Amino acid sequence: MATRDMSRWETAICRVVSDGDTEEIIVRGHRMSELIGKLTFAEMMFLMLQGKLPTQPQARTLDALLVASIEHGIAPPSMIARCYASYGTPIQAAMAAGVNAFGDRMGGLGEQMARLLVERLALHAKGSPLSDALLRREAEAIVDEARRAGTRVPGFGIPLHGADPRAPRVLDVARREGTFGDYCRLGMEIEAALARARGGKGVPMNIDGVGAVVALDLGFDWRATRVFLITPRTVSFAAHFLEEQDQDTTWRHLPAGQINYTGREPSS
Amino acid sequence: MATRDMSRWETAICRVVSDGDTEEIIVRGHRMSELIGKLTFAEMMFLMLQGKLPTQPQARTLDALLVASIEHGIAPPSMIARCYASYGTPIQAAMAAGVNAFGDRMGGLGEQMARLLVERLALHAKGSPLSDALLRREAEAIVDEARRAGTRVPGFGIPLHGADPRAPRVLDVARREGTFGDYCRLGMEIEAALARARGGKGVPMNIDGVGAVVALDLGFDWRATRVFLITPRTVSFAAHFLEEQDQDTTWRHLPAGQINYTGREPSS
Amino acid sequence: MATRDMSRWETAICRVVSDGDTEEIIVRGHRMSELIGKLTFAEMMFLMLQGKLPTQPQARTLDALLVASIEHGIAPPSMIARCYASYGTPIQAAMAAGVNAFGDRMGGLGEQMARLLVERLALHAKGSPLSDALLRREAEAIVDEARRAGTRVPGFGIPLHGADPRAPRVLDVARREGTFGDYCRLGMEIEAALARARGGKGVPMNIDGVGAVVALDLGFDWRATRVFLITPRTVSFAAHFLEEQDQDTTWRHLPAGQINYTGREPSS
Amino acid sequence: MATRDMSRWETAICRVVSDGDTEEIIVRGHRMSELIGKLTFAEMMFLMLQGKLPTQPQARTLDALLVASIEHGIAPPSMIARCYASYGTPIQAAMAAGVNAFGDRMGGLGEQMARLLVERLALHAKGSPLSDALLRREAEAIVDEARRAGTRVPGFGIPLHGADPRAPRVLDVARREGTFGDYCRLGMEIEAALARARGGKGVPMNIDGVGAVVALDLGFDWRATRVFLITPRTVSFAAHFLEEQDQDTTWRHLPAGQINYTGREPSS
C-alpha cells in the first residue's frame, strides 16, 4: 500500500492563507469573519460536518440534542474528569480522558445503531419518506436478527436507570420541528417490535439511540454519531473538573473495604 | 491530609434520581426536560459553567467566541486528529488526542492571560466599570513587568500568521452586544501599551487573548478559558478525522528527507 | 444487565493492606519487598501478566522483544510525543498521546494476528508441539482465507520499509532460548505459504507479527499483544519529548505548501 | 519567534535508513540488531534516556525501581484503566488514560522534588561526593523554606498509607549496588531534618521521593522522573484492564448513595 505521498495533505474543510500581514480563513466555502456573530454554535457545527448550513428547524433540533447530552451527573465519563482533578492534572487532560472513555459500551452503542440502520435503509430509494409498512418490516427483521444472535438491539433499553426523560423530549422537538424522518420513524418501529416480541413490555429507545436516529435524520454521517455526545459532554467535564478543584480533594480512590483480593497469598 | 472521606462526592451541578421507572435530571436548578428544545447549546454551556442563564447578548457573544474557535485548517491540534485516523484509532481517541494537545503553548496562553488579568483587577472595586486611567496604568504595569522579565505578555502577538481576522471580529460582536467590559478594555489598553513600548509597531491581541478577555467579561472563571477553545475545536477534530478516514491514508509520517540524525554512528 | 454491584471490585493481581503504621503489598502471591532487587523488569512484567515467574529463557526472550520495540526514530507514534512537547504539554500527556495512537493500523495488526492464530490453534491438542504438517495446513488455510477475502494476513509485509532487521533478530533469540514454539513455527509456515502463493516473492513477518507469535509462545494472552509494543515505546516517547523540549521548538505544524485546499471558495 | 523551519526535525536518538530492501536502525550509536538479545529492558531504557550503557550496578538499581513502581492494587491510576475496560474501550485507550492521570499530585511530586534537589546541588562542585555537612545544611534550608512557605517538601510523607515498604527496599538496593549517591544522601538528610523539625516524629521519604533521588543518582534528567513511574505502571494498566474485561463488568460508576447534591432545586 501507500505509494501515496504522506507528506501531502488535502482538505475541503478549511483554507487558511497568510498573505503578508493578513490572514484569510475560509470554512466550507464561507469566510470565517462573516460567520462570527452570525451563526450559533449548532449552525456552525452543522456546517463543519455537513458542508452546508442547516435550516432553522434543523439547527433547533441539533441544539436540543446537544443540550440533552451535556450533563448526567457524577457518572462516567464526568466522574473520570473529577478523578483527574484530584490527581492534579491540567483541565485539558481531564477533558481528554473523559472524551477517550466513550468506548463501545458508552456512546458507542448509538454509533452501532446508526450504522445498522444506515445499512438497512441503504437498500431503499431515497428522497421520499419510506412507507410505514416497509419500516415495520425492517424493524422486525432487526429485532429478529438480534434475538437469533442472542444480542440486544443497540440504542434500546436503559441498563441503569428508570425511563430517561431526555430521550422522548428530544424526539418531541424533532416532531415539532419537522425533522422527524425515516430514521426516527424506524427507531419507533423497532421500539414497537421489541414490545411485541416481549409480550408488551416496553424497551424504550434510550438517549444514545435517540441521538443516533435524530442525527441521521438531520443528515449526518453515521460515523459522527458519537460526536453529538462527546462535544457537549466536554462542558460537563470542565464543570466537574472545576468543582472538584474547588473542593480541593486529594486523590480519589476506592475505600479499601470495596476491594476484594481473590489471588494467592505468599507461601511463607 | 485527606481525613476527608474520598468515597463521598458532592456536587451542585446535577442531580439524577431514579425513582422506580422514571428518572429526573436536575441541572443547576432546572429540569433537563424543560431545557431541551428551549435553550441553545451556548445558553446551556453558560448555565453549566456559571450556574445561571445568560442574557441574550451574553449568549450571542458566547456563540461568536465558539464559532471563531471551531476551525483553523490542517494545523495542530486538528492535524493530530488526522494522524490518528491514519493509524486506525476510533474517533473518540482522535478527539481526545486533540483535546490533550492544548498545552501551555496552545490555548494555555489565553488561560495565563486570563489569570494575570484577574489577579490584577482583583484589587479594584467591582460592580461599576473601571476608569480608563486605571486600566491604562494596569496595562502599563503588565507590559513593563513582562519587559523586565524578558517575557511576552500572553495573548498578544501572532507567531505564525498575519493578522488573525477572528480576533477583531469577536471583539466587534462583544461591542455590538454590550458585553465589552473591563477585561476587553484592559486588553485593548495592553495592546496600546505594547505599541507605545515598541515605538508604534502594533502587537495585536490574538484569538487566545480575545477569547480570554471576552470570556472574563461574560463572567466565566479564568480557569475555564481553555474550554472555549477546546469544546468547539472537538468538532474540527471530528470533521478532519472523518475526512482523513475517507481518504484512507495509511500511517501519516514524515518524509525521511525532513529528518536529520545528529547522533553517533556505530563505532564499527 | 448489571444486577452486579458496581461498587464492589475484585482482583487477583494485588493486595495492599495498611495495617496501622505499615503496609503490605502482595503481587500475584509474592511480597513486593521480596521482589524488589531480585527480579528484572521483564521478569516482573511476566509475573504481572501471567501470574507466575518466567524461566530464564522466557525472561531473556521477553527482554529481546521489549528492546526491539523500544524505538523506531521520529516516526509515529513518537512523532506525536514530539509535537506535544512543542505545544507545551506535560510529559505524561505526550506519553499518553503516543500510547493512544496505537490503533488498528499501528500495533493493532499484531493483535489481530495473535487472535487469528489462537483461534486456529484452539482446535488442536495442547501440551505437545504440533506437527509440521498440521501447521502447514493451518498456514495455507489462513493464507487462502485472506486471499479469498481480498485482505492481507495481519503481521506480514512491511508497508513503508525495506526488510526490518528487528523481526528476524527477535526470532533468532527465541530459537536460541528454546522459546520458539507452535506460534513461531506457524508464523514461519504462513511466511512460506505467502511466498508460494506469490510465486516465490517473500512477504516477511514484520515486527508486529513477530511480537505476536513470540508473545504467544511465551504464554501471554492474545489481548496483551499490543502491550509489548506500548510499554517499551513509552521510553521512546519520553526520550523524544525531552529532546524536543531541549530544542525549544514552537508549535510543530505543516508547511503551508504541503496542504491543498479542495473545498469551495466563497461565492463573493 | 519561530523563524526556525518547523518542517525540519533533528534527533540524536535514532536513525532509520531504508536502503532498498534492507533497513538499518541505529539507536544512540548502536545497531539495534546487536542490542536485541544482548541488553535487558532496563539497560536499553538507560541507553535511550542517557545515550550510554549503564554499569551492571546501575542496571540492577534501575530494575529495582521499575519493579517497585509496577503495581499498587486497584488504586488510581490503575483504577481508571479498569473503568475504561468496563466502558468498552480498546486496551491502548485505557493505558493512555492511566498514563495521562499522572498529574502534579500523582507522580508529579517526585518530579518537583527532583527539580528542587537538582537546583540546590547545581551550585556545588560535581564529580566527587559532597560532604555530609554540606548536604545537611542544604536539607535544613529546604525544610526551612517549605515550613516558611507553609508547604510540604515534595516526596516525603505518605498521605494514604502506613509506611510504604517499597521505598526503603529500593534504597537498600541502591546501597548494595553502590549507586547511593549525593541525591540519595540528601534525601536521607531531608528526612532527618524533617524529623528534627517535628520533634522526632518521622516523615519518611515516600516511593515518589525515593524514585526521584535514585534516578538522579543514576544520572537521569530530573524531567524524566515521572517516566520511572509511568513506564512500569503501564503493565499494571494492562493487567487490570484484562482482568476487568474477564469479569465483564458494565459501566463502573458510583452508587447513588455516595453522591450528595448540594445545588438548587427547580423553583416549581
Side-chain angles (χ1 to χ4, degrees), chain C residues 68-69 71-72 164-170 207 233, chain D residues 25 32 36:
Chain C
S69 303
E71 174 63 13
H72 204 226
D164 185 328
R166 298 172 295 173
R169 194 70 194 97
V170 172
I207 186 69
R233 196 58 72 91
Chain D
I25 305 174
M32 178 61 100
I36 297 169

Side-chain angles (χ1 to χ4, degrees), chain B residues 84 97 104-105 160 248-249 251, chain C residues 84 88 97 105 160 248-249 251:
Chain B
Y84 265 54
D104 287 345
R105 294 176 173 195
L160 302 165
D248 194 24
T249 59
W251 221 67
Chain C
Y84 265 54
R105 294 175 174 197
L160 302 165
D248 194 24
T249 58
W251 221 65

Side-chain angles (χ1 to χ4, degrees), chain B residues 74-76 79-80 83-84 86-89 93 97 100-101 103-106 160 248-254 258-259, chain C residues 74-76 79-80 83-84 86-89 93 97 100-101 103-106 160 248-254 258-259:
Chain B
I74 305 188
M79 182 184 83
I80 300 287
C83 287
Y84 265 54
S86 78
Y87 309 150
T89 74
N100 206 19
D104 287 345
R105 294 176 173 195
M106 185 153 67
L160 302 165
D248 194 24
T249 59
T250 300
W251 221 67
R252 286 281 183 196
H253 59 282
L254 301 168
Q258 284 180 216
I259 305 172
Chain C
I74 304 187
M79 183 184 82
I80 301 288
C83 287
Y84 265 54
S86 78
Y87 309 150
T89 75
N100 207 18
D104 287 345
R105 294 175 174 197
M106 185 153 67
L160 302 165
D248 194 24
T249 58
T250 300
W251 221 65
R252 286 281 184 195
H253 59 283
L254 300 169
Q258 286 179 213
I259 304 172

